Amino acid sequence: LNNLDWHKILSKKEIKKAYEQTINSSIGVITSLGKTNIPTFLVFGNADILDREVKKFNKDFKFKSLEKEIKKFKNIKVINKKVIGFKGLKIAGLNYFRKDNKTITKFLSKTKSLDILLTHNPPYKILDLAMPVKKHLGSKILNLYIKHKKPKYLICGHIHEAQGKIKLKNTIIINAGSSKVSQIILP
């Protein structure tokens, strides 16, 4: 099942509906956060459809741009592969990635003494157990990073059913994923 290209299995109508739900859900969350005026930092996940993908899909569909929606709000900042300072805190962001590769290793090697590491992926064997397959899907490189660099917090998502909070030595790890997606209230 993992190797199937669902674009070849589903009808165009079903594909459009799936992408519209994803995009509209993301835009709803962004709009809700933007209205709060609370400083918000985010990284993109595997379900966030970026402008380059929207342009490709918009040959057949007319989807909104998530990136343009984010730019409407001054309090929301995308920190994909960036290190920022905020009120004396050092925060780094790492968007979704498929494998532990050289780009991720290079980025993390430059991020010393972090207060917060915001990632989409969880660390390996830490709040990363995917159900019903009962398989750990986290990143080994993030696991090593926590053990050696000891950021104060690592906040992640991706594995929704593995939500929770634990402490590993000096790092508090929070998987903010929700196993109850239906509880998300959109405006």
Side-chain angles (χ1 to χ4, degrees), residues 90-136:
K90 190 173 178 183
I91 305 169
L94 193 55
N95 51 306
Y96 174 75
F97 56 94
R98 288 192 185 274
K99 297 181 182 178
D100 297 337
N101 60 33
K102 290 179 184 177
T103 306
I104 302 307
T105 303
K106 185 177 178 181
F107 173 76
L108 289 173
S109 71
K110 297 177 182 178
T111 56
K112 297 174 182 151
S113 317
L114 287 179
D115 294 294
I116 301 170
L117 177 57
L118 179 62
T119 69
H120 183 74
N121 305 46
Y124 184 65
K125 290 196 173 181
I126 302 172
L127 301 172
D128 76 331
L129 188 60
M131 298 300 213
V133 294
K134 295 182 181 176
K135 186 174 180 181
H136 289 281

Side-chain angles (χ1 to χ4, degrees), residues 13-175:
K13 185 177 179 181
E14 291 169 315
I15 292 168
K16 180 181 181 188
K17 183 177 179 182
Y19 278 109
E20 278 180 336
Q21 286 175 339
T22 299
I23 292 168
N24 290 339
S25 174
S26 295
I27 289 172
V29 171
I30 293 301
T31 301
S32 294
L33 290 169
K35 288 178 181 177
T36 68
N37 289 321
I38 296 169
T40 303
F41 305 103
L42 65 86
V43 294
F44 288 128
N46 56 303
D48 293 318
I49 301 170
L50 306 179
D51 281 352
R52 65 179 180 273
E53 295 163 307
V54 169
K55 287 176 187 173
K56 181 176 75 172
F57 290 124
N58 279 350
K59 292 176 185 172
D60 295 316
F61 311 114
K62 297 296 175 211
F63 296 135
K64 289 183 178 180
S65 162
L66 178 60
E67 292 175 85
K68 285 181 184 171
E69 293 296 317
I70 290 169
K71 288 178 183 175
K72 291 179 181 178
F73 302 101
K74 292 180 182 180
N75 64 310
I76 300 177
K77 304 287 183 241
V78 178
I79 60 169
N80 295 329
K81 294 186 188 111
K82 293 180 184 172
V83 179
I84 64 162
F86 178 74
K87 294 193 176 195
L89 298 172
K90 190 173 178 183
I91 305 169
L94 193 55
N95 51 306
Y96 174 75
F97 56 94
R98 288 192 185 274
K99 297 181 182 178
D100 297 337
N101 60 33
K102 290 179 184 177
T103 306
I104 302 307
T105 303
K106 185 177 178 181
F107 173 76
L108 289 173
S109 71
K110 297 177 182 178
T111 56
K112 297 174 182 151
S113 317
L114 287 179
D115 294 294
I116 301 170
L117 177 57
L118 179 62
T119 69
H120 183 74
N121 305 46
Y124 184 65
K125 290 196 173 181
I126 302 172
L127 301 172
D128 76 331
L129 188 60
M131 298 300 213
V133 294
K134 295 182 181 176
K135 186 174 180 181
H136 289 281
L137 298 177
S139 164
K140 291 179 182 178
I141 201 166
L142 288 176
N143 188 301
L144 287 171
Y145 181 83
I146 290 168
K147 289 177 182 174
H148 295 285
K149 302 295 183 180
K150 301 174 180 75
K152 292 178 184 170
Y153 294 90
L154 183 139
I155 302 170
C156 63
H158 189 56
I159 309 298
H160 299 260
E161 61 271 25
Q163 68 185 8
K165 177 175 126 178
I166 66 166
K167 189 169 185 176
L168 178 65
K169 297 190 179 188
N170 294 329
T171 302
I172 295 172
I173 302 157
I174 301 167
N175 181 331

